[in-house]
């Protein structure tokens, strides 16, 4: 009798496990459904994929030993070739990420006006994590190439900001020789542009990534502050279309939207939403990049990688209406010294940067196009609302 009882218990346990797996699998394919993130099952390192590049595995790189009396992550290293006076190297501690035409350039320009934030340089949007480290640098002797843009090259982009950080000392601080200035990077592509994810070690033979840019950033700077700026996805998509393809027409835009939304909808029927969002083939076939508006998919990965308190979510609509209060909240989030109301007003009233001039000359979007896109993005916007119940948003 005991062996029969044991068999019954084992069969019951197996049945419950099977039912739980079926429930998770079915629910994860429903757009907008609030379910736990299920990572794809991929072969381990003992069966490396053909495309992975160990040289790009930032998770295996030793993190620099950051100097304790610097607010920004800085360390002692060899001097830059054209700077023999300093042996300090720094990388940004805060990152403004998002999607094109969400106001990242203007926002960074205004934030960098704070006296505790190093001045904006020409290289602040270097897109190193998402693109730059995969590129090769040309030298004068064609067609030879320098090594790929390494972590050392990335740090060198902030040499001017590093000098500012090193020069400013807060004598009133309890920390001896305290350097309060911080550096920022406003590469919006860091948020969702993981087009090289199949080359990341840890994603061997995966159908969707386990390792993304967020994991690399968390490894390099565990205390990094992330400012994510978004925009209503339909208006963002049309603004991007008019800005980058100024000779396009509303009719041509509609035709592209019909084709691309169908591509993604068909993919959702066959695979998980996350797999489709990170599908490089699908993205490559999409001229309008409709997939950029799947905000909730990408944000869920960031929320699972960084502590919630290190991510500030902003919306261009709110920033445009209330720039002063938004900037004040962001300064507080970054932990810089408070500014007076007149100082914040002066920063907020500065000339808007990188405005879409081509957009002003464009015709309005067709009503049927907007209706189609509203329906396509609706489940993702609903999911985003659930994720940000404590945040102000446009919904």
């Amino acid at each position: 009798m005991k062996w029969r009882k044991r068999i019954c218990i084992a069969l019951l346990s197996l049945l419950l496990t099977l039912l739980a797996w079926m429930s998770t699998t079915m629910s994860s394919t429903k757009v907008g459904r609030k379910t736990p993130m299920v990572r794809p099952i991929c072969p381990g390192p003992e069966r490396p994929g053909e495309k992975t590049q160990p040289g790009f595995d930032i998770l295996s790189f030793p993190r620099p030993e950051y100097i304790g009396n610097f607010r920004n992550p800085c360390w002692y290293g060899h001097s830059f070739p054209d700077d023999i006076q300093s042996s300090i190297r720094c990388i940004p501690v805060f990152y403004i990420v998002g999607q094109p035409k969400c106001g990242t350039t203007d926002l960074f320009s205004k934030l960098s006006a704070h006296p505790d934030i190093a001045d904006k340089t020409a290289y602040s949007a270097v897109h190193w994590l998402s693109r730059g480290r995969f590129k090769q640098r040309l030298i004068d002797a064609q067609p030879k190439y320098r090594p790929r843009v390494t972590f050392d090259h990335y740090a060198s982009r902030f040499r001017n900001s590093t000098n500012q950080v090193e020069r400013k000392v807060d004598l009133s601080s309890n920390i001896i020789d305290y350097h309060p200035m911080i550096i920022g990077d406003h590469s919006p592509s860091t948020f969702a542009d993981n087009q090289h994810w199949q080359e990341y070690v840890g994603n061997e033979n995966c159908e969707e990534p386990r390792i993304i840019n967020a994991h690399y950033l968390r490894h390099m700077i565990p205390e990094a502050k992330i400012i994510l700026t978004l925009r209503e996805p339909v208006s963002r998509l049309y603004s991007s279309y008019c800005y980058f393809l100024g000779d396009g027409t509303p009719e041509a835009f509609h035709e592209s939207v019909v084709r691309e939304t169908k591509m993604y909808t068909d993919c959702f029927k066959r695979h998980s939403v996350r797999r489709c969002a990170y599908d490089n083939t699908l993205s490559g076939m999409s001229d309008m990049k409709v997939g950029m508006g799947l905000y909730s998919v990408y944000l869920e990965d960031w929320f699972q990688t960084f502590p919630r308190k290190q991510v500030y979510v902003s919306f261009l609509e709110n920033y445009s209406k209330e720039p002063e209060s938004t900037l004040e909240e962001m300064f507080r989030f970054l932990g810089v010294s408070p500014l007076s109301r007149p100082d914040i007003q002066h920063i907020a009233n500065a000339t808007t940067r990188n405005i879409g001039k081509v957009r002003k000359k464009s015709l309005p979007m067709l009503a049927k196009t907007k209706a189609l896109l509203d329906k396509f993005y609706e489940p993702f916007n609903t999911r985003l609302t659930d994720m940000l119940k404590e945040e102000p948003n446009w919904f």
Side-chain angles (χ1 to χ4, degrees):
M1 294 297 294
K2 291 183 178 180
W3 64 270
R4 291 182 179 177
K5 184 176 180 180
R6 291 175 180 175
I7 291 176
C8 290
I9 294 175
L11 290 175
L12 180 60
S13 177
L14 179 62
L15 179 61
L16 291 174
T17 302
L18 180 61
L19 290 174
W21 175 83
M22 291 176 63
S23 175
T24 301
T25 302
M26 293 174 64
S27 61
S28 65
T29 60
K30 295 181 179 180
V31 180
R33 182 77 174 273
K34 188 175 182 179
T35 56
M37 178 66 71
V38 180
R39 296 299 183 193
I41 300 176
C42 312
E46 68 278 5
R47 294 180 56 194
E50 296 180 357
K51 295 184 178 181
T52 54
Q53 301 288 338
F56 300 144
D57 184 19
I58 298 177
L59 296 180
S60 66
F61 291 177
R63 187 186 307 130
E65 186 175 345
Y66 297 132
I67 307 172
N69 60 324
F70 279 71
R71 167 79 195 287
N72 197 85
C74 300
W75 67 97
Y76 293 107
H78 60 81
S79 302
F80 297 120
D82 55 352
D83 185 3
I84 61 175
Q85 298 180 350
S86 174
S87 60
I88 300 295
R89 314 207 80 176
C90 302
I91 55 175
V93 71
F94 76 92
Y95 293 78
I96 299 179
V97 301
Q99 295 291 19
K101 310 313 299 175
C102 287
T104 54
T105 301
D106 180 68
L107 177 60
F108 186 80
S109 175
K110 288 180 169 57
L111 288 178
S112 63
H114 192 287
D116 286 349
I117 298 178
D119 293 345
K120 186 174 86 68
T121 68
Y123 303 106
S124 55
V126 297
H127 303 278
W128 180 73
L129 272 175
S130 56
R131 307 168 190 169
R133 61 197 178 98
F134 298 95
K135 296 180 180 179
Q136 292 181 316
R137 304 174 68 202
L138 293 171
I139 59 175
D140 295 334
Q142 296 290 347
K144 294 183 179 180
Y145 294 87
R146 292 184 182 181
R148 293 182 182 272
V149 182
T150 64
F151 178 74
D152 194 52
H153 293 133
Y154 176 63
S156 70
R157 299 295 184 92
F158 302 96
R159 65 185 67 184
N160 294 333
S161 299
T162 298
N163 290 334
Q164 295 177 49
V165 169
E166 188 175 12
R167 286 196 302 266
K168 184 171 182 177
V169 179
D170 183 2
L171 299 178
S172 64
S173 173
N174 295 327
I175 302 176
I176 299 177
D177 196 26
Y178 181 63
H179 299 258
M181 289 194 75
I182 59 176
I183 301 173
D185 179 323
H186 79 283
S187 304
S189 62
T190 305
F191 175 57
D193 187 349
N194 290 271
Q195 59 180 307
H196 294 279
W197 69 262
Q198 291 174 313
E199 300 178 51
Y200 300 173
V201 173
N203 290 335
E204 294 85 356
N205 299 321
C206 289
E207 295 179 344
E208 55 188 272
R210 289 186 295 189
I211 307 298
I212 59 172
N213 296 335
H215 295 98
Y216 289 143
L217 190 57
R218 180 78 194 280
H219 172 73
M220 292 192 306
I221 313 105
E223 303 301 321
K225 294 293 185 72
I226 311 299
I227 295 179
L228 169 62
T229 176
L230 299 174
R231 177 181 181 179
E232 192 279 316
V234 178
S235 61
R236 190 216 67 80
L237 185 66
Y238 194 56
S239 176
S240 179
Y241 171 76
C242 296
Y243 185 82
F244 294 107
L245 298 172
D247 57 345
T249 64
E251 291 75 17
F253 178 71
H254 179 78
E255 292 178 3
S256 296
V257 166
V258 170
R259 180 178 62 84
E260 294 182 20
T261 53
K262 184 179 186 304
M263 285 166 43
Y264 275 91
T265 302
D266 291 343
C267 184
F268 296 155
K269 295 176 182 178
R270 300 190 304 270
H271 308 292
S272 72
V273 171
R274 187 174 183 272
R275 173 175 173 177
C276 297
Y278 286 103
D279 189 323
N280 289 328
T281 301
L282 196 61
S283 176
M285 296 169 60
S286 174
D287 296 330
M288 301 298 101
K289 304 301 180 187
V290 169
M292 285 186 174
L294 310 182
Y295 302 148
S296 60
V297 179
Y298 308 119
L299 182 56
E300 193 153 15
D301 282 346
W302 282 80
F303 277 178
Q304 292 192 358
T305 306
F306 278 89
R308 185 65 185 85
K309 64 180 181 179
Q310 291 178 224
V311 182
Y312 181 99
V313 182
S314 174
F315 296 93
L316 179 62
E317 289 79 0
N318 289 345
Y319 172 61
S320 300
K321 293 178 181 178
E322 302 176 348
E324 295 174 18
S325 60
T326 302
L327 288 172
E328 188 173 17
E329 289 179 3
M330 289 182 180
F331 288 143
R332 190 180 304 115
F333 169 74
L334 293 175
V336 293
S337 57
L339 298 179
S340 66
R341 176 57 60 174
D343 287 339
I344 294 180
Q345 290 176 345
H346 177 73
I347 294 175
N349 293 332
T351 303
T352 302
R353 302 292 299 273
N354 199 31
I355 189 172
K357 296 181 180 180
V358 177
R359 178 73 176 87
K360 295 179 179 179
K361 303 177 183 178
S362 304
L363 296 174
M365 184 192 318
L366 299 179
K368 60 180 180 180
T369 311
K370 185 179 185 308
L372 176 61
L373 286 171
D374 283 339
K375 182 178 180 181
F376 176 77
Y377 286 125
E378 181 181 7
F380 301 100
N381 291 344
T382 300
R383 173 62 181 137
L384 187 64
T385 302
D386 291 339
M387 296 170 65
L388 302 175
K389 288 182 178 178
E390 305 300 325
E391 305 275 345
N393 55 57
W394 75 80
F395 299 104

